[in-house]
Amino acid sequence: MFEVSPVYEENFNSKAKIKINQGGTWSGKTYSILQLLCTHAISDPNSITTVAGQDVPNLKAGPIRDFQTILKTTPGLPRFIESYNKSDRVVQFHNGSIIEFKSYEDAQDAHSGKRTRLFINECNGVSYEIFKQLYIRTSKDVFLDYNPSSEFWVHELVLGNRSLYPSVQRIISDHRHNPFLTQEQHDSIERLKYEDEETFKVYARGLTGKIEGAVLTRCFMIEDDQYPNDAKLLGGGLDFGFTNDPTGFLEVRMQEGELWVREHIYETGLTNPMISERLKELNWNSRDEIIADSAEPKSIKELQDLRWKVEPAMKGPDSIRSSIEILNRYKINYTRSSVNFHKEQKAYIYKKDRKTGKSTNEPIDAFNHLIDPLRYVALNKLSAYNKPVKAPKYSF
Ligand SMILES: Nc1ncnc2c1ncn2[C@@H]1O[C@H](COP(=O)(O)OP(=O)(O)OP(=O)(O)O)[C@@H](O)[C@H]1O
Ligand SMILES: [Mg+2]
C-alpha cells in the first residue's frame, strides 16, 4: 500500500524490540516509522499504538502533520480508518486498533495505560524516566527517533545496557536514504559541509556529535499563556523561502526590557500571495510593520502592493554580527508553540575553525529561517535602543 524508503524496510525487518532511529535531517525517519505503525495497526487488530512527543505543539508540527500527509497521499489507507478524534488525537481503525498521539508531563503521568507499540518522536526532548515508564508498559515494538546533536540517555543508558534493554538495534540514516527528496533538497543538506564540520556530521550523516556554542545566548521558553499580547509590538520579521528553505515569519514584542517572540509561519512552497493570505488568517494588522529580507525587493514590493506595511531590513557589511550583538543584550522569551524557533536557536551556532577546532565569530548559514527575521527586527527596531555608551574623548 505504501511507497516506502529503505528506512521503512530496515525498521520492518528488525527483530529487536527497541529500534533506535538515529539520523540526519530529512532521512525519512518520522515518515517511515508512522507508515510502519499504520501497517502494524492494520495487520494486528485491537492493537494500541502510542506516538509520544515532547509536547502537543511538537506533536502537531511533527508526527500529526506527517500522519495527515500520509493519510492524504496513500489512496488505500483511509478505508481502514473509522475516525480521527482531533481533540483526543486518537485515530480509530475499523479493526479495533488505535493510534494515539500523546505527550507526558512527567514519569508519573507515563504510568497510565499499556500499549502494543510505542514511538517516541525526537526522543532527546523527552526524559529518560518517561521513556522507561512507557517502555515497560509496551508489549511489542518501541521506535525512537532523533537527530544526534549530542549524547543523551539513548547513548548513556540504553545502548549497550543489555541487562535492562536486551533487544536493541540502532539504525543510522541520513538524507541519502530518502529517495523522495529532490536533488536540490539533497544538495542543500550536503552544503552544510561548507558551514561547520560538527553540524554536517549530525544533520547530513546522522552521526553523534556535540553541537555547542549557540549564537543566541539568552533564549528562554515560556508557556503560550505567558505571552504578553498587549506588550509593545516591535514588528514582524519575515524571511522569504520557497522550494528548499521555508518562509519564516515571527512577531517580536518588547516588555520590561525583554523581548517576546512568537513564531507564526514556517513553511516551504509559499508564494507572496500565499504569504498575504497567511497574514490575513493570522489577523495581522496591516498597519503593523513587517521587516523583511532586503535581498528580495521584488517580493517586498509585491506584498506592499497587497497592502502590507513591509520594509527592507537595514542590512550592512557587518550586520549579522551587529544584530546578534544587539539581540544578546536582551532576554528572549519565546512561546512553547514556537517549535521551529526552538530548534533553530539550538542549532544556530558559530562555525568552528577547521584547523584549531575553536569557534569563529561567524555563525553558520543554516537553521536561520526564523533567526534571520528576528535579526531583521533587531536591525531596524532595536539599534536605537540601549546603544552602548561611548566613552567621551579626552585630550590631554
Ligand atoms: N515513504 C515516503 N513517501 C513519500 N515521501 C516521503 C517518504 N519518506 C519521506 N518522505 C518525505 O521526506 C520528508 C522528510 O522525511 P522525515 O520528516 O521523515 O525525515 P526525518 O528523518 O524525520 O527528518 P528530521 O530529522 O529533520 O525530523 C518528508 O516530509 C516527506 O516529504
Ligand atoms: Mg523527524
Side-chain angles (χ1 to χ4, degrees):
M1 172 168 61
F2 294 115
E3 277 199 76
V4 301
S5 77
V7 178
Y8 178 102
E9 305 280 0
E10 277 291 313
N11 280 279
F12 182 84
N13 293 326
S14 171
K15 300 267 185 297
K17 174 165 177 178
I18 306 181
K19 292 165 251 290
I20 298 177
N21 280 259
Q22 169 171 321
T25 192
W26 284 356
S27 72
K29 302 179 290 299
T30 309
Y31 208 92
S32 303
I33 294 167
L34 288 170
Q35 286 180 318
L36 185 51
L37 292 175
C38 287
T39 302
H40 287 317
I42 291 164
S43 61
D44 189 1
N46 302 312
S47 60
I48 298 172
T49 301
T50 304
V51 177
Q54 186 178 336
D55 51 30
V56 171
N58 272 290
L59 284 170
K60 281 188 183 163
I64 293 179
R65 182 177 290 177
D66 288 336
F67 183 83
Q68 283 164 339
T69 309
I70 293 170
L71 198 55
K72 255 192 260 157
T73 55
T74 314
L77 184 57
R79 69 188 165 93
F80 291 101
I81 292 175
E82 190 177 296
S83 62
Y84 173 57
N85 183 322
K86 231 179 154 175
S87 54
D88 291 343
R89 292 179 273 274
V90 175
V91 184
Q92 177 77 53
F93 288 73
H94 288 302
N95 67 356
S97 290
I98 64 160
I99 297 182
E100 53 174 13
F101 296 87
K102 292 189 79 160
S103 67
Y104 299 86
E105 288 282 316
D106 50 38
Q108 189 58 35
D109 195 16
H111 279 234
S112 60
K114 285 197 171 65
R115 64 197 61 75
T116 322
R117 293 185 182 81
L118 169 70
F119 168 29
I120 309 183
N121 175 236
E122 300 190 355
C123 66
N124 42 358
V126 171
S127 73
Y128 173 68
E129 288 305 320
I130 290 178
F131 158 74
K132 198 171 143 193
Q133 294 307 326
L134 295 177
Y135 167 80
I136 56 182
R137 289 169 180 77
T138 303
S139 58
K140 291 183 181 165
D141 315 88
V142 175
F143 300 87
L144 306 174
D145 83 356
Y146 59 91
N147 303 125
S149 50
S150 58
E151 290 202 348
F152 66 107
W153 54 259
V154 158
H155 308 85
E156 291 153 2
L157 301 167
V158 179
L159 283 166
N161 186 353
R162 294 235 172 83
S163 52
L164 265 182
Y165 306 107
S167 180
V168 176
Q169 183 184 346
R170 177 161 51 167
I171 299 165
I172 296 184
S173 59
D174 65 52
H175 68 101
R176 296 171 300 177
H177 298 101
N178 183 349
F180 301 96
L181 298 178
T182 62
Q183 190 56 46
E184 287 80 43
Q185 286 172 315
H186 288 295
D187 293 346
S188 93
I189 302 172
E190 283 300 295
R191 270 200 295 278
L192 288 173
K193 197 181 311 179
Y194 308 109
E195 296 301 327
D196 176 69
E197 229 167 327
E198 205 66 10
T199 303
F200 177 78
K201 194 169 129 186
V202 171
Y203 293 99
R205 291 295 176 266
L207 303 174
T208 311
K210 203 170 174 202
I211 302 279
E212 53 189 6
V215 171
L216 296 180
T217 50
R218 300 176 65 198
C219 291
F220 297 89
M221 188 195 278
I222 56 165
E223 295 307 322
D224 287 28
D225 59 11
Q226 291 175 289
Y227 188 79
N229 288 304
D230 46 1
K232 178 183 159 56
L233 180 72
L234 295 179
L238 177 63
D239 194 28
F240 299 102
F242 194 59
T243 329
N244 297 322
D245 295 336
T247 294
F249 178 67
L250 44 67
E251 70 171 62
V252 189
R253 292 177 188 269
M254 163 86 93
Q255 181 171 275
E256 290 167 7
E258 298 180 8
L259 298 179
W260 304 79
V261 171
R262 184 154 62 170
E263 163 188 336
H264 287 303
I265 301 176
Y266 190 86
E267 203 177 328
T268 51
L270 293 186
T271 60
N272 292 326
M274 284 161 86
I275 295 175
S276 174
E277 283 309 307
R278 292 286 189 287
L279 291 172
K280 276 187 212 156
E281 285 160 18
L282 290 166
N283 285 326
W284 185 264
N285 191 326
S286 59
R287 285 185 300 264
D288 289 335
E289 267 172 80
I290 295 172
I291 299 112
D293 186 359
S294 54
E296 292 217 21
K298 205 166 142 189
S299 295
I300 292 179
K301 176 74 172 64
E302 216 176 313
L303 286 174
Q304 286 169 343
D305 290 345
L306 290 163
R307 304 276 172 269
W308 300 105
K309 200 171 170 189
V310 184
E311 57 174 75
M314 295 189 286
K315 286 188 188 174
D318 203 28
S319 62
I320 295 186
R321 225 168 298 168
S322 63
S323 52
I324 287 163
E325 199 180 289
I326 294 167
L327 287 169
N328 278 336
R329 287 183 206 147
Y330 297 91
K331 184 174 174 202
I332 301 171
N333 306 283
Y334 63 94
T335 59
R336 183 179 285 279
S337 296
S338 303
V339 292
N340 298 295
F341 182 81
H342 172 73
K343 283 185 194 165
E344 285 200 346
Q345 55 89 21
K346 280 202 296 192
Y348 189 63
I349 57 170
Y350 286 110
K351 289 185 188 184
K352 286 227 171 68
D353 185 292
R354 274 174 206 277
K355 285 197 192 114
T356 63
K358 288 208 173 115
S359 283
T360 64
N361 55 6
E362 191 187 346
I364 56 171
D365 184 16
F367 307 113
N368 52 9
H369 313 297
L370 288 163
I371 302 289
D372 280 352
L374 176 63
R375 287 197 307 100
Y376 301 154
V377 176
L379 281 173
N380 285 31
K381 297 289 162 190
L382 286 174
S383 35
Y385 289 80
N386 264 0
K387 275 229 169 108
V389 182
K390 274 197 187 139
K393 277 186 186 158
Y394 295 106
S395 49
F396 295 95

